[in-house]
Amino acid sequence: MRLSGLALAAAGLRLSTCLSQDADQKRLGSGHEGSRRPNIIFILTDDQDYHMDSLKYTPLIEKHITSQGTFFKRHYCTTAICCPSRVSLWTGKQAHNTNVTDVNPPYGGYPKFVSQGLNEKYLPVWLQEAGYNTYYTGKLFNAHTVLNYHSPWAAGWNGSDFLLDPFTYNYLNSSYQRNRESPVSYEGQHTVDVLATKAYGFLDEALEHPDRPFFLGIAPVAPHSNVEAHTLEGDPKDIDKAVRFTPPIPAARHAHLFPDAVVPRTPHFNPSHPSGANWVRKLHQQPPENVAFNDHFYRQRIRALQSVDELVDGLFARLEEHNLLDNTYIFYTTDNGYHIGQHRLQPGKECGFEEDIHIPLIVRGPGVSAGRVAEIVTSHVDLAPTILELAGAPSRADFDGEAIPLTEGGIERAEGNGGRHEHVTVEYWGFAATEGKLWRKDEDRIILNNTYKALRIVGEGYNFYYSVWCNNEHELYDLKTDPYQLVNLLHPDEESKVPATILGVPFTKVISRLDSLLFVLKSCKGQTCVRPWQTLHPAGNVLNLQDALSSRFDYFYETQQKKVSFTKCELGYILESEGPQFETDGLVYRHGLRWDEWV
Ligand SMILES: *[C@@H]1O[C@H](CO)[C@@H](O)[C@H](O)[C@H]1NC(C)=O
Ligand SMILES: *[C@@H]1O[C@H](CO)[C@@H](O)[C@H](O)[C@H]1NC(C)=O
Ligand SMILES: *[C@@H]1O[C@H](CO)[C@@H](O)[C@H](O)[C@H]1NC(C)=O
Ligand SMILES: *[C@@H]1O[C@H](CO)[C@@H](O)[C@H](O)[C@H]1NC(C)=O
């Protein structure tokens, strides 16, 4: 087949465009006035959705960031829960490489972040090494508490004021802990308003040192649920005794807003047929009083977000006042998404559906196009590489992501030749939690065995989500024909809906490629995570799913390669339970190296 030769030629081309893209970004990073390096402000909300229109309710974010910047419409988190997602974000590593896979010890939380040696190996530390002053306020990680905040101190910050457990999500009784001081309780004040004052204070501090560029992280808790926690630890099964989830609490001045807003009634909202796999497929349709409560929950989220909208407005007033906008990048994103009612789910996250993993990323700054929507696939592990590049700091070989092009030229090149990765590695271990009310006797707040490996892949002519659960159930959604993920093509009940061919080949051939890709990704490290097809095909003639579908690879994918599977559902990353591993049991395609064999 001719295609492969062309693909190889294209690979060479891609290499050179990657280089020029790098150069482009470097110029961008070094600023326009000689060596003046840019400031970076990173706003990280908590559990903010893309799919339930939350951004439509924040006109000031629209005015200052979206309309003046680039919206990355295919941005994903890699693990749809707070702490693992934040650790991946700030380290540039997939959760299987941080092994911070949960919100609490033993598998996650701040103590696990520390014991994994990551307190010395994350973004603020590298930025300080690169000559930046670094500041952060808000939630850093879960299980960062009023008891352990100093053992050890979170490294890398010139100034910090952290929200601490068990008061992190307590909207009206938060505890913040500043620099080396003791925690302070803000009983009766709205947590996001408290945070805004702290953020502005750090901006002032940063401005006292005009000789050094700064990084400022602002991490409000909105629109996460309000959580009243009574103890710091406990068995997840006893969570109801330890914590109480209620809808988010807006500031009093916003409590009356949007009286008519409801969760968008998309086709997958509380559908009449079950969807998904495993426990999701067993959910019951929600009765009207449940839906009404969930709509209230939804309104409380967008009301709580109003304080973030105002925080952003105040921030931009200061940036303008100090003439900082021509040399400051502003990132806006969230740790993971959220669902309410889609697939009959109660309010929560932790699933692999688009609602939970597909999230907003908006960037504004010098050289970034205003009002542009970028189509390239990006994920949270790409952000640390992006920020280091902006800072003009060296990249790291152990990053599982790659810098996101921010300039018009860089984005266009990546969109045009597919020179960027087309996939996102999605992974999850442990339990899912219901954050709304429980409506049935057989409903549990904590749902165990919510462990799965998955991938999202979006390329020319295809758009899939593929996953393997720890009980070895499989999921495949063809989002081109089923954007709401209502038909799991790998569930026995949906057999009649399986198309004979996809992308011009039998359905099973596509599955075999996706499974092998996931086989590589579930334990990938560094460049293998970014260029998985090149790991399977070192000759460099397979760069995407379309290339891999060539029939001469049928035997390799369908017969030779081991399949993704689990032997047990675990609450964390227990290697022995995760079936064959690519490094020990996988195969690399070694034929066809000679050009005359390509035919
Ligand atoms: C910020 O911290 C770094 C690393 O400790 C230090 O080199 C730098 O001087 C600090 N900046 C200020 C303004 O104190
Ligand atoms: C608020 O939090 C403090 C601890 O930071 C606690 O002592 C106090 O009882 C809490 N107030 C309420 C109303 O829960
Ligand atoms: C969860 O997984 C474990 C281990 O794989 C299994 O023994 C148990 O039956 C599963 N529980 C449910 C509710 O599926
Ligand atoms: C991840 O951490 C858990 C808890 O400490 C440990 O049991 C497990 O072996 C670790 N997994 C890997 C792959 O290192």
Side-chain angles (χ1 to χ4, degrees), residues 190-445:
H190 195 267
T191 181
V192 181
D193 293 338
V194 172
L195 180 95
T197 307
K198 293 177 183 298
Y200 304 154
F202 280 135
L203 184 62
D204 291 340
E205 254 183 62
L207 292 175
E208 288 166 20
H209 308 279
D211 50 314
R212 284 160 78 94
F214 68 84
F215 174 92
L216 169 59
I218 304 174
V221 84
H224 192 286
S225 317
N226 182 65
V227 183
E228 282 156 37
H230 309 297
T231 67
L232 289 170
E233 50 210 46
D235 190 318
K237 277 168 268 173
D238 296 328
I239 195 170
D240 261 342
K241 286 181 216 136
V243 302
R244 200 164 78 90
F245 286 95
T246 59
I249 301 173
R253 63 187 181 282
H254 302 133
H256 65 288
L257 295 173
F258 319 117
D260 303 321
V262 294
V263 181
R265 297 303 200 253
T266 45
H268 61 333
F269 179 78
N270 201 23
S272 54
H273 294 283
S275 47
N278 202 341
W279 62 271
V280 178
R281 216 173 169 91
K282 298 189 188 105
L283 294 170
H284 297 265
Q285 201 174 17
Q286 298 170 357
E289 61 274 24
N290 182 168
V291 171
F293 174 79
N294 287 355
D295 280 333
H296 164 69
F297 198 111
Y298 175 78
R299 285 189 289 275
Q300 292 294 86
R301 281 170 55 85
I302 55 181
R303 288 166 179 156
L305 265 176
Q306 299 310 301
S307 296
V308 178
D309 206 35
E310 292 175 1
L311 182 163
V312 167
D313 197 41
L315 180 71
F316 274 83
R318 285 163 176 82
L319 292 174
E320 268 159 38
E321 184 191 334
H322 296 287
N323 232 341
L324 287 170
L325 280 174
D326 63 346
N327 198 35
T328 303
Y329 289 88
I330 296 97
F331 288 73
Y332 185 96
T333 188
T334 186
D335 46 6
N336 49 261
Y338 208 73
H339 55 245
I340 303 179
Q342 298 80 18
H343 305 279
R344 304 176 169 179
L345 288 157
Q346 297 294 354
K349 55 256 182 185
E350 297 122 4
C351 294
F353 292 120
E354 289 294 272
E355 287 70 33
D356 293 15
I357 60 172
H358 183 210
I359 51 180
L361 170 67
I362 323 165
V363 185
R364 170 183 174 164
V368 180
S369 290
R372 193 191 200 290
V373 176
E375 310 260 333
I376 49 175
V377 175
T378 60
S379 88
H380 266 9
V381 293
D382 295 328
L383 284 166
T386 308
I387 291 169
L388 278 195
E389 192 170 271
L390 280 180
S395 189
R396 301 177 58 88
D398 60 354
F399 275 148
D400 298 335
E402 64 179 339
I404 301 169
L406 300 177
T407 57
E408 185 61 32
I411 294 170
E412 246 170 42
R413 275 191 294 279
E415 280 174 350
N417 67 8
R420 233 190 120 69
H421 60 79
E422 55 175 7
H423 67 277
V424 179
T425 306
V426 179
E427 42 195 5
Y428 200 90
W429 294 263
F431 59 88
T434 287
E435 298 179 17
K437 282 190 196 168
L438 297 180
W439 297 86
R440 302 172 52 96
K441 286 209 163 50
D442 59 1
E443 219 171 359
D444 287 321
R445 184 153 305 282

Side-chain angles (χ1 to χ4, degrees), residues 167 173 175 185 187:
F167 306 101
N173 193 18
S175 275
S185 170
E187 192 171 336

Side-chain angles (χ1 to χ4, degrees), residues 418-476:
R420 233 190 120 69
H421 60 79
E422 55 175 7
H423 67 277
V424 179
T425 306
V426 179
E427 42 195 5
Y428 200 90
W429 294 263
F431 59 88
T434 287
E435 298 179 17
K437 282 190 196 168
L438 297 180
W439 297 86
R440 302 172 52 96
K441 286 209 163 50
D442 59 1
E443 219 171 359
D444 287 321
R445 184 153 305 282
I446 290 297
I447 300 138
L448 295 170
N449 294 0
N450 189 51
T451 296
Y452 55 84
K453 309 273 172 191
L455 64 84
R456 267 302 268 122
I457 185 164
V458 188
E460 195 66 38
Y462 48 88
N463 189 346
F464 298 115
Y465 173 84
Y466 174 71
S467 84
V468 180
W469 288 74
C470 62
N471 65 0
N472 293 314
E473 276 187 60
H474 287 61
E475 272 178 299
L476 178 76

Side-chain angles (χ1 to χ4, degrees), residues 128 133 158 209 212:
Q128 280 189 335
N133 285 337
N158 287 86
H209 308 279
R212 284 160 78 94

Side-chain angles (χ1 to χ4, degrees), residues 9-25:
L13 215 113
R14 265 162 222 181
L15 238 153
S16 58
T17 54
C18 280
L19 287 178
S20 61
Q21 178 183 309
D22 277 2
D24 204 26
Q25 293 276 110

Side-chain angles (χ1 to χ4, degrees), residues 96 99 106-107 112 116 572-576:
H96 68 256
N99 201 9
Y107 297 114
K112 181 73 169 165
Q116 290 294 107
Y573 183 22
I574 307 301
L575 204 56
E576 304 82 84

